[in-house]
Amino acid sequence: MYTKSNALFEQAGKVIPGGVNSPVRAFKSVGGTPVFMQHAKGAYLYDVDGNRYIDYINSWGPMILGHAYEPVVKAIQEYATYSTSFGAPTELEVKVAELIVDMVPNIDMVRMVNSGTEACMSALRLARGYTGRNKVIKFEGNYHGHADSFLVSAGSGVATLGIQSVPGVTTAVAEDTLSVPYNNLPAVEQLVAENPDQIAAIIIEPVAGNMGCILPQPGFLEGLRALCDANGILLIMDEVMTGFRLAKGGAQELLGIKGDIITFGKIIGGGMPVGAFAGRREIMEHVAPAGKVYQAGTLSGNPIAMIAGYTLLKTLQEHPSIYTQLEEKTTQLATGLREAFGAAGVVYQINQIGSMLSVHFAEYPIVDFTSASGANNELFRRFFHAMLERGVYLPPSAFETWFICHALTQEDIEFTVNAAKASMLAIK
Ligand SMILES: *Cc1c(COP(=O)(O)O)cnc(C)c1O
């Protein structure tokens, strides 16, 4: 069933560290061999052995309308003929910036970069440059890319691999990053009190998606906003995952919370490598060449990446019903999964908001990294493989969020729920 994948993974291991170009792809926490993909269309992935899967990763978010979305593919093809890079400004970049400013609340200006990592790294530099302070507060199990400052108590692959402190990150850098449990406002207030006039920024995933999907508890984000305002701290809303996913204006719009600097990635590039950071004019004018906070990129604002993102974002802007439909589908999936797990008599938690969902096999609510880590991840491992065998491609770690795409049909959801029922019977 996986002959070619197995052979490719062995070959890959000789020339690529761990056989993959990003750790979460490696199936480390669920065991087994990663599946090598050949092509994809809509809600389906097809691997090199010809197996078909319903995709609940969707490239970790970007494929919100499904794979190989026709208008995006066409736009890329057209723009590729004009040149794949100029290294000079283009009209398209202005249109993209205007579109983003139009879609997202609380921002006047935006700078394009090439990944979510770059966006968060640059946002932190800007916050430090703007406030003249060095320290940053982040939350355990939140992931903001792989820049040094953020690899302290990080989620996603760092959590999946169980890496406590990352070799190569100097003590000096790590000491400027203070980390606290998600959803614990008193802990943040205490840190701020202990470090007067030293905190440049609090960075947060407004809905956490890198330790499974964890919702902010009522009052938590509001409390952070007030704390930042009272202490001259910038609130960096990392919307790399939630931006353009939870609503056209992201979590800021859905939850009604205002960030000072907003970071983007994933959906913003329509499947091409793009990130961005944005904010009020007064803050963003500190970015070079308008200001002195240096930030640059040879391929930033790349025309192919820009037209892919532009085409996808424009579709989302023009069809707000997509978000309602995505949420309906996700709720329906969650209901079906509850049935499947309930029938099997296992304890479970399903966290869901909009088209983000995650499953933890635990009897208590999953509200932070500690509760997520305490779930039965051995059961998740077996569930993952049973689903894979049945043609359902889930994130290969309980510390990751499932993403639902608009191409997913009623039949796909029923197929998935039936696969979940059969899987639970098979692994019990
Ligand atoms: C994926 C992600 C990042 C990093 O983005 P890359 O494009 O992988 O560098 C940062 N923050 C959040 C919340 C993410 O989900």
Side-chain angles (χ1 to χ4, degrees), residues 85-381:
S85 181
F86 299 105
T90 58
E91 182 181 359
L92 183 56
E93 292 164 89
V94 184
K95 284 176 68 179
V96 168
E98 285 173 349
L99 178 62
I100 294 168
V101 168
D102 204 30
M103 290 175 80
V104 180
N106 310 318
I107 62 172
D108 303 315
M109 300 182 110
V110 51
R111 168 59 60 85
M112 305 307 297
V113 294
N114 303 291
S115 68
T117 293
E118 258 191 83
C120 295
M121 179 185 89
S122 309
L124 180 57
R125 184 181 304 135
L126 175 57
R128 285 172 166 158
Y130 178 82
T131 59
R133 301 171 177 180
N134 289 340
K135 291 185 180 168
V136 58
I137 295 178
K138 79 173 283 291
F139 295 90
E140 290 167 10
N142 276 18
Y143 181 69
H144 307 293
H146 65 91
D148 285 0
S149 300
F150 301 125
L151 291 179
V152 176
S153 307
S156 189
V158 188
T160 298
L161 296 175
I163 300 173
Q164 304 301 331
S165 76
V166 177
V169 175
T170 63
T171 319
V173 168
E175 276 171 0
D176 277 336
T177 303
L178 312 174
S179 93
V180 278
Y182 199 74
N183 275 323
N184 189 338
L185 187 58
V188 188
E189 288 170 341
Q190 192 184 334
L191 269 186
V192 170
E194 286 168 0
N195 296 272
D197 301 323
Q198 293 174 63
I199 316 275
I202 295 176
I203 185 167
I204 186 164
E205 291 181 58
V207 169
N210 285 292
M211 45 183 170
C213 176
I214 297 184
L215 277 62
Q217 288 177 345
F220 178 55
L221 295 175
E222 291 82 354
L224 292 180
R225 180 67 269 172
L227 190 63
C228 286
D229 289 342
N231 292 278
I233 297 169
L234 295 186
L235 184 59
I236 305 176
M237 297 273 260
D238 180 352
E239 296 233 39
V240 170
M241 188 181 279
T242 52
F244 311 104
R245 172 159 291 275
L246 292 181
K248 81 174 167 50
Q252 281 198 105
E253 177 187 325
L254 188 72
L255 306 175
I257 301 293
K258 216 167 147 173
D260 296 308
I261 305 177
I262 320 298
T263 58
F264 301 99
K266 301 196 166 106
I267 291 178
I268 202 172
M272 298 295 284
V274 182
F277 60 104
R280 292 191 298 280
R281 186 174 319 282
E282 165 233 346
I283 297 174
M284 291 302 286
E285 282 193 330
H286 284 73
V287 178
K292 288 187 191 162
V293 178
Y294 199 72
Q295 192 284 321
T298 301
L299 292 173
S300 294
N302 173 269
I304 310 304
M306 290 302 100
I307 197 60
Y310 183 81
T311 308
L312 184 61
L313 296 188
K314 197 79 190 156
T315 310
L316 294 171
Q317 186 191 41
E318 286 170 358
H319 303 278
S321 63
I322 287 173
Y323 290 104
T324 333
Q325 289 164 15
L326 275 171
E327 178 162 25
E328 276 167 17
K329 287 176 190 184
T330 312
T331 305
Q332 206 179 340
L333 174 65
T335 307
L337 290 173
R338 285 194 182 95
E339 252 173 60
F341 299 143
V346 294
V347 292
Y348 66 92
Q349 302 291 327
I350 295 179
N351 289 350
Q352 185 214 333
I353 181 166
S355 56
M356 294 168 64
L357 171 152
S358 70
V359 170
H360 289 96
F361 293 110
E363 58 202 326
Y364 47 80
I366 306 298
V367 297
D368 58 14
F369 186 65
T370 305
S371 47
S373 306
N376 185 346
N377 290 334
E378 167 58 21
L379 184 57
F380 184 88
R381 183 188 72 74

Side-chain angles (χ1 to χ4, degrees), residues 332-346 361 383 386-387 390 392 394 402 413-428:
Q332 206 179 340
L333 174 65
T335 307
L337 290 173
R338 285 194 182 95
E339 252 173 60
F341 299 143
V346 294
F361 293 110
F383 178 64
M387 291 293 273
R390 288 167 179 78
V392 180
L394 303 178
W402 307 17
I413 296 171
E414 280 161 27
F415 182 97
T416 306
V417 170
N418 287 332
K421 287 177 180 161
S423 293
M424 292 317 289
L425 278 180
I427 63 179
K428 278 242 332 179

